[in-house]
Amino acid sequence: MDGRAPRRLIGRDDDLDFVCAFLDAAAEEGGALLLSGDAGVGKTAVLDAAAHHAAGAGARLLRGGGAEFEVNVSFAGVNQLFQPILGELDHLPEVQRTALQVALGLEDGAPPDQLVVLNAALDLLLHVAKGGPVVVIVDDLPWLDRASAVVLGFIARRLHNSQVGLLAASRTGEEGFFERAGLSNYRLDPLGDAAASALLEERFPALTARVRQRLIDDAQGNPLALLELPAALTDSQRSASGGPRTALPLSGRLQALFTSRVGKLPASTRDLLLLAVLDGTGDLQRLSIVASGQPVLKALAPAERAQLVTVDQATARLGFRHPLTGSAVVELATAEQRRNAHKALADHLADRDERRAWHLAAAAMSPDEAVAELLESAAAETLGRGDPLGAVCTLLRSAQVSPAGADRSRRLAEAAYLGAAATGDLRDVPKLLDDARAADPEQHASLAAAVAAAYHLISGSGDVNTAHTLLVGAIDMSEPADGDDTILIEALHTLLLMCFFGGRPELWEPFGSAVARLWRRPPELLALLEATFADPARDALPVLDRLDGAIAGLKDETSPARIARVAMAGAYLDRLPTCADALSRVVEHGRAGGAITSEIEALFLLGNAAFWTGEWDELADVTEEGLTLCEDHGYKLLSWPGVFLRALLAAGRGDDDTTRELAEQLAGWAAPRGLRSIQNYAWHARALAALGRGDFEEAFQQATLVSPPGTLASHVPHALWLVMDLVEAAVRTGRHVEAAAHAAAASEGNLAAISSRLALVTYASAAMAAPDGQDAAWFEKALAVPGADRWQFDLARVQLAYGERLRRSKLTSEARDHLRAARETFQRLRARPWEVRAGNELRATGVSIGRPETLGPTSLTPQQLEIAQLAAAGLTNKEIGERLFLSHRTVGTHLYQLFPKLGITSRAALRDALRDIAAESLAT
């Protein structure tokens, strides 16, 4: 900015009040706000006014924006935004500083972990904000490159209490890569007729009233149209004597206007503007070099006089006044002119391989292996900078310009592998694999293609045996690996997943053989997973110390995949609550645009922990989020743990219809594909539902499908979750021998040494199976387990069982204590069948039980409601302030705060939102 105040924006007082209220609040407590609106509605003008307001308040400004022709250049947007603060990098820890420098291409280094890059970018901003408020302003958000969009999405969600405000603008209907979910949005509506008329009177005072009204009708409140349409009027139209114009849609007319204005420029100016648009950096020095030293400022002067561009000689930057200008420049150029411009840019970018490769690809008229190799190298560089999605995009372009079928096939297979394993998006994998086979039908399947194909098979119509065989065959062709072989390790992790979902001991044998053959000392995480995830009842105890050490190290771990896999190793051993903080970081990383596979796994692992620890509302939330991701990205296989959690919750709360429906889905999908673990999910949910409603015969039948009584089935880790269920069902149906045998199996397997939960259920199972008179000691031992109160649902079930035994033994007072505690937990969990059972037992001891109170919904404060009603009635902020004796800025602040509460983004939606509130009040 040059320090001059922007021109007053007619008709935008309320909008500016809202935006400035956000900036004032952000200066103290941080935050992010997204502006949206149609093309030409004035988003950039509002950003300029907001920047002037923030600068006047003493904030430090960081401005940038997306560029249509830079969308494939990783971190281009962050580079632009962070240029003024790169001198502060030395204040970051070395790991973060190095990661960010490598990501931004400032130095070479090992591929940085994406989570480290994201945190480094955030911490850099937070450090700068220690010297005073910082405002980050981003225009054209949908045109940001993917990597930059991920960084800004991550930052936007972590600005609370930071003194950093993020204000970004995007055109309505253009999505881009930035994840908007959960962020405050404000829609910039078109101007009203009065404001539109005032704008025309100020800028075009000579227009007749009739022409002015026609322009108002045509412009539909769009400020850009109001300013541009008059320039296209003929003399007869200005005097209102001409005939009717062709009625183009507004967007088409605006584009035509810009095309017309650009077309009037000299050819040399258009050529230079074409170079500038395709370069996307706005760097006048680079433009001068590419233009072979011609006088750039002189050539740009006609465009500057036509108010199509701005030239800042102090910063040597060129800017387009509106994105439609750049679009018009490209539209007017011939294909040959565009190719020549791309080639000229590539010739002067020898030091920037990624940009050079993309320009050469755009200039290529036919397949070119040299260009394909450059793009493949650029993909590796992009992956090395922590942007796997950008690497996929670049590999696909490399495949497109590859002359040889074998090279094209290899590059497509690599893109499919990255899509499945690194980015976690299966939607394009089938087509990529088909294209790879079509490009070179004779080529043997690569390990990368095998991993991608296995993911796709098991998530589609294929069965686990086929996927397992495919992977085993590809892995068997691999050479022994002493160092890091990323694809081989990923293939083995994928094979481990197939073995788990298959749920049969014979599937695990090739996995163990492959790990032993390929490594003298296998990777620690693979070894841990084999011991703890394959058959934990037999193999977990010797490695518990190593597992706990790996979990303790998660506080410093930055790889989402490694965090999820370490947590997975502890899932059946009740270590998930200890992993919760790290798993939450993985979820946040995914929400900001990171690895989807790890995010899904982390959400369901958190849901799993929430079930056992009694945070059932949280379980519902994370499960729904994970299932939505699975549906959006084609991960059918990974969705089933989420469906299981949903079924488990329904079973615990007594929703038998939902449990039955979900269990049928699980079993119906799993059986024909040989997915025994998913069948176990269905049997578990059915067993729990049956226990709750007192159908103990059904509970016994379902539990014993997972593992027979008297043994913990081999390579069925799920058996550890059903020990007490099977024993209780056996006792209740008179199968005392089976109950005692299963309790003994748990005891002999030393499950109590694995975790406090397993100790609780092992001792409780022994108590349930014990004869009358011998059970109390076991119950007391169970309830005395250190940390037993962490496992609230299981603990309440033990208290219920103990209370029932005590009541039958006429120990009424002692029974009441345990039954009360159990019932309170079941009430909190809304585990209705269990609450009823505990309540019935409690009544049998002579206790009278009342009904719980219910709470109503929260609402707006009285002042917020009054302001909302006045705004909905059409009053401006100034008019509302005068009526309520408040400043217009205070009114803007209240509206900024109440919009998210009402779930709206503009004043126009206030009336409907208030009507809904009134309807809800009447209904209650």
Side-chain angles (χ1 to χ4, degrees), residues 204-222:
F204 304 97
L207 291 175
T208 66
R210 182 179 175 185
V211 171
R212 186 183 304 119
Q213 187 57 51
R214 182 175 183 179
L215 288 170
I216 291 170
D217 293 341
D218 281 0
Q220 303 167 27
N222 187 290

Side-chain angles (χ1 to χ4, degrees), residues 227-379:
L227 296 174
E228 296 296 333
L229 290 175
L233 294 175
T234 63
D235 289 341
S236 62
Q237 287 170 339
R238 286 178 181 275
S239 63
S241 60
R245 293 193 305 275
T246 303
L248 287 174
L250 181 58
S251 58
R253 295 187 65 183
L254 287 174
Q255 184 66 63
L257 285 172
F258 276 95
T259 301
S260 172
R261 292 174 62 190
V262 170
K264 295 175 182 177
L265 297 173
S268 59
T269 303
R270 294 203 306 271
D271 290 344
L272 201 59
L273 290 178
L274 180 61
L275 287 171
V277 172
L278 298 182
D279 175 51
T281 66
D283 187 336
L284 285 174
Q285 293 180 346
R286 177 183 293 179
L287 199 58
S288 178
I289 294 170
V290 176
S292 302
Q294 67 172 290
V296 168
L297 295 179
K298 181 178 179 181
L300 290 174
E304 194 175 10
R305 285 194 295 272
Q307 296 189 330
L308 292 169
V309 300
T310 59
V311 175
D312 189 335
Q313 296 187 46
T315 60
R317 305 288 295 179
L318 168 71
F320 290 90
R321 288 190 177 271
H322 195 275
L324 290 175
T325 304
S327 300
V329 169
V330 175
E331 182 181 317
L332 284 171
T334 65
E336 182 66 21
Q337 286 173 325
R338 290 195 292 271
R339 281 195 297 270
N340 289 338
H342 279 297
K343 188 174 186 309
L345 288 165
D347 289 344
H348 291 85
L349 287 171
D351 60 330
R352 298 299 301 274
D353 289 343
E354 187 179 359
R355 290 178 185 270
R356 181 167 180 260
W358 277 104
H359 283 302
L360 285 174
M365 295 182 62
S366 59
D368 186 324
E369 180 58 22
V371 175
E373 288 179 357
L374 271 178
L375 284 165
E376 189 173 13
S377 297

